[in-house]
Amino acid sequence: MTSNTEKLQKVLARAGLGSRREMEAAIEAGRVKVNGKVATLGDRIEMRDRVSFDDRPVTLRGAEETPRRVIMYNKPEGELCTRKDPEGRRTVFERLPRLKGERWIAIGRLDINTSGLLLFTTDGELANRLMHPSTQVEREYAVRVMGEVRKEHVVAMVEGVMLEDGPARFTDVQEFGGEGINTWFHVVITEGRNREVRRLWESQGLTVSRLKRVRYGNIFLDKRAKAGEWVELSQDEIDDLALSAGMEPRKVPELTPDEKNRWSRDKNKRRPVQAMRKPKSTKGR
C-alpha cells in the first residue's frame, strides 16, 4: 500500500533543500540515498525511512511540521535567479538572510533583465503550489513598450496568441501612460513561462524596453523593500498566500534571538542598489 508514502522529491523539497524540480535533478544525479541505496526518480518513501542528500542525513518532516517563512525581495536588473553562477555574476541568493538547516526556495523566477518582486519561502510545498499552472496565481507586471501599440494588438494578446511553446495570453492589459514611442502598461498572466511577457509583446511586433514584476498573487511590491532589499512577510500575508494556493494557514515561527541578530547583520550588509550606484560628489572639482 502507498497511503503512507510520498514522492521522494516532494519530501526533500518540504525539508527545505530546494524546489521539487531541483530535487528531481538531484535524484537523477545520484545525490540522494534512501536506506543506504541510491534513489531513483519515482521512489516513494515513508517518514521512518533514512534519507541522505550528498551523504548528509536529512531530517524528514511532515507537512504540518515544515516551518513556513516567506520574504519579499525587490530584484534589480542584472541579478540572476540562480544559487551560483559559473561566470561570477551576482545572484539574488547572495542578498538573502542566512538560514540554519533550511534553504530559501524561489517562488518563480525573473530573467536577468527583469526587475521587481520575487518571493522566497522555506516551505517547498507552498512554492510548488504557487508556481504550478493549475493554481492560476496572477502575476502582474509593469511594462514599458517601444512602438505604437494599437487596439488590435491588445485584443490579440488578451484573446491569446500561439507561441513556440503553446498558446499564451494576458488576462488583463491596462495602459498607464508615457510619452512618444515609450508607453507603460500593466499586464497580468497566470503562468510563469520563460520570457512569456516579452514574447507576447514580440508576437505583435513590439519590443519591451523595461519590465518589472509588481505583484504575485495577493502580494504587491511596496516601499518596504527598495531595489536590492528584502522584507519578511507578515502572518496575515503568508496565510492569504497559502489560501490562494489551496493550503491551510500555519503559524509563522518566531525568529530566535540569534536569528534576529544574524538577519539584522545581513540586512545591514546588503545596502540598496540605488545607494551603491549613487555617483560621487563632484563638489569642489
Side-chain angles (χ1 to χ4, degrees):
M1 293 182 65
T2 60
S3 58
N4 294 324
T5 66
E6 291 185 276
K7 288 183 179 178
L8 177 57
Q9 63 267 32
K10 181 178 180 180
V11 177
L12 291 171
R14 192 164 63 216
L17 293 169
S19 68
R20 282 199 200 176
R21 186 175 296 177
E22 289 172 330
M23 293 303 95
E24 287 170 358
I27 294 168
E28 289 184 319
R31 298 170 63 190
V32 182
K33 292 179 181 177
V34 177
N35 298 325
K37 295 182 179 180
V38 176
T40 58
L41 200 57
D43 284 353
R44 300 179 70 91
I45 64 168
E46 298 179 349
M47 290 298 104
R48 64 185 180 186
D49 287 324
R50 291 179 293 106
V51 179
S52 64
F53 185 86
D54 288 340
D55 292 323
R56 295 179 181 176
V58 176
T59 301
L60 304 183
R61 299 187 180 108
E64 68 287 346
E65 299 174 298
T66 307
R68 181 182 289 164
R69 301 189 194 278
V70 182
I71 57 174
M72 173 176 68
Y73 177 62
N74 189 348
K75 174 190 175 299
E77 292 180 11
E79 288 187 354
L80 295 169
C81 289
T82 185
R83 294 189 187 276
K84 291 182 181 179
D85 178 54
E87 298 178 28
R89 293 172 293 182
R90 193 163 59 196
T91 77
V92 294
F93 287 94
E94 294 172 22
R95 292 186 176 272
L96 306 186
R98 291 165 294 165
L99 294 168
K100 270 192 174 180
E102 297 173 295
R103 298 178 87 186
W104 290 116
I105 301 166
I107 301 174
R109 300 166 68 90
L110 294 174
D111 69 39
I112 191 169
N113 296 318
T114 302
S115 64
L117 174 62
L118 267 177
L119 296 176
F120 295 85
T121 181
T122 54
D123 186 346
E125 183 61 21
L126 177 64
N128 185 68
R129 292 274 192 99
L130 289 170
M131 288 187 286
H132 201 279
S134 64
T135 313
Q136 296 283 290
V137 176
E138 290 186 342
R139 291 94 154 155
E140 183 175 343
Y141 292 80
V143 189
R144 190 174 71 185
V145 182
M146 291 180 63
E148 182 187 354
V149 180
R150 299 192 295 271
K151 182 179 179 180
E152 54 264 36
H153 293 148
V154 175
V155 170
M157 291 185 294
V158 171
E159 290 183 347
V161 298
M162 184 60 68
L163 303 179
E164 59 266 29
D165 54 354
R169 61 184 289 266
F170 293 132
T171 59
D172 190 31
V173 178
Q174 298 289 334
E175 185 174 344
F176 267 66
E179 295 181 359
I181 61 169
N182 290 301
T183 309
W184 282 93
F185 292 84
H186 275 224
V187 300
V188 176
I189 58 173
T190 56
E191 288 184 280
R193 283 187 275 166
N194 185 39
R195 299 185 71 254
E196 186 173 1
V197 174
R198 294 180 188 273
R199 290 187 292 141
L200 271 163
W201 286 100
E202 288 167 2
S203 74
Q204 306 304 304
L206 299 163
T207 301
V208 172
S209 57
R210 291 285 301 278
L211 184 60
K212 181 176 185 176
R213 184 153 68 196
V214 295
R215 178 169 66 91
Y216 197 108
N218 63 302
I219 306 300
F220 287 83
L221 184 65
D222 57 34
K223 294 179 180 178
R224 288 179 293 173
K226 297 177 182 178
E229 290 188 333
W230 52 266
V231 64
E232 187 173 19
L233 297 189
S234 68
Q235 179 76 59
D236 287 344
E237 288 174 317
I238 296 174
D239 287 349
D240 286 345
L241 201 58
L243 288 170
S244 72
M247 300 178 71
E248 291 295 320
R250 188 186 308 152
K251 183 169 175 56
V252 177
E254 291 187 16
L255 292 173
T256 65
D258 179 59
E259 286 173 325
K260 285 181 180 178
N261 289 334
R262 191 166 65 247
W263 284 35
S264 178
R265 289 196 303 270
D266 287 348
K267 182 164 275 190
N268 289 333
K269 282 180 187 174
R270 293 154 171 79
R271 306 314 306 166
V273 171
Q274 287 100 327
M276 291 171 60
R277 291 179 177 174
K278 189 175 181 180
K280 293 180 180 179
S281 173
T282 55
K283 202 171 181 180
R285 288 185 184 179

